Amino acid sequence: MFVSPAYAQAAGAQGAFTSFIPLILIFAIMYFLLIRPQQKKLKDHQAMVAALRRGDQVVTQGGVIGKVSKVKDDGELEIEIADGVRVRVIRSTIAQVLNKTEPAK
């Protein structure tokens, strides 16, 4: 009632900016706690899959343990899970490499 209109408008403009600060902070925290670690994990997995060679012992996402017997160019691997039993899997389904073979010299 006793506040001039110009003074009230200036306070409202400042309040609008300060109301966005918590929202910006929430997005920054989510980026550093969720998005960035997930991107790093994805990059590490892609590097691991790209480095697969014949003779590596791997675990698929389904839990099958086997040895890589053939690496194909079209994103497939042939894994030997028992003597004479070979299965074809997609490269991206490899969850872990148990034993790496030494590169041929």
Side-chain angles (χ1 to χ4, degrees), residues 13-86:
Q14 182 186 15
F17 177 71
T18 57
S19 67
F20 284 115
I21 291 176
L23 190 62
I24 293 169
L25 288 174
I26 288 171
F27 281 119
I29 290 170
M30 284 185 61
Y31 175 76
F32 285 108
L33 292 179
L34 297 174
I35 297 170
R36 219 170 137 219
Q38 186 65 25
Q39 288 176 341
K40 184 180 183 316
K41 185 178 177 182
L42 179 65
K43 188 184 292 185
D44 292 343
H45 183 263
Q46 287 174 343
M48 176 196 68
V49 168
L52 285 173
R53 292 190 291 268
R54 197 175 134 230
D56 291 347
Q57 190 171 7
V58 296
V59 178
T60 65
Q61 288 179 356
V64 177
I65 299 174
K67 188 175 278 193
V68 177
S69 61
K70 188 185 290 186
V71 179
K72 298 182 179 182
D73 292 332
D74 57 348
E76 288 184 8
L77 298 172
E78 192 171 285
I79 298 177
E80 185 171 1
I81 57 176
D83 292 332
V85 179
R86 294 182 179 170

